[in-house]
Amino acid sequence: IQLVESGGGSVPAGGSLRLSCAVSGATSTSYCMAWFRQTLDQEREGVATMDVDGTTNYAESVKGRFTISQVSANHTLYLQMDSLKPEDTATYYCAGVRFWQCPARTDQYRFWGQGTQVTVSS
């Protein structure tokens, strides 16, 4: 499958952004889908995941602020990010793997987008 992210940008602290991930080449609802983020000095970390049955999970640092969702009709995965903080600044990646339940390890994800930059100013 091919994944293309969009929606990144620069916002002040407390602002919101919605990231989109356009999925092509397969039915995204047959895949575990996830959002990751990475900064220059840190390893890629999981932000939010959505299992095939729709179960969602979030990193503790974003719980209550970020929401992962999917619209199967337009083959798009979303990440709604509210109450953004400067520490949310990173490149955000969409990822997928054909597992029923999303794996914990980053290296188990087979498909990746090119990333979209999110910058939150204080």
Side-chain angles (χ1 to χ4, degrees):
I1 62 173
Q2 293 78 47
L3 307 174
V4 179
E5 303 96 334
S6 61
S10 297
V11 295
S16 297
L17 281 174
R18 188 177 77 159
L19 305 183
S20 299
C21 174
V23 182
S24 61
T27 303
S28 60
T29 52
S30 299
Y31 288 71
C32 147
M33 299 298 298
W35 288 97
F36 288 79
R37 65 186 180 187
Q38 186 173 22
T39 60
L40 289 176
D41 58 352
Q42 292 185 346
E43 293 185 356
R44 195 167 294 189
E45 65 168 352
V47 174
T49 63
M50 177 176 283
D51 297 339
V52 172
D53 66 357
T55 300
T56 57
N57 286 285
Y58 298 90
E60 284 296 325
S61 59
V62 306
K63 275 184 181 178
R65 300 188 299 120
F66 289 13
T67 304
I68 186 173
S69 63
Q70 184 166 227
V71 177
S72 57
N74 63 7
H75 309 294
T76 304
L77 181 76
Y78 298 99
L79 184 68
Q80 177 66 41
M81 305 187 295
D82 299 317
S83 302
L84 282 161
K85 304 175 181 180
E87 51 263 44
D88 294 318
T89 295
T91 301
Y92 284 72
Y93 297 90
C94 172
V97 63
R98 198 159 187 176
F99 286 1
W100 182 265
Q101 186 173 37
C102 288
R105 286 169 40 188
T106 305
D107 62 1
Q108 290 181 287
Y109 287 81
R110 181 175 178 185
F111 304 101
W112 292 87
Q114 81 289 350
T116 186
Q117 178 66 35
V118 172
T119 302
V120 185
S121 58
S122 56

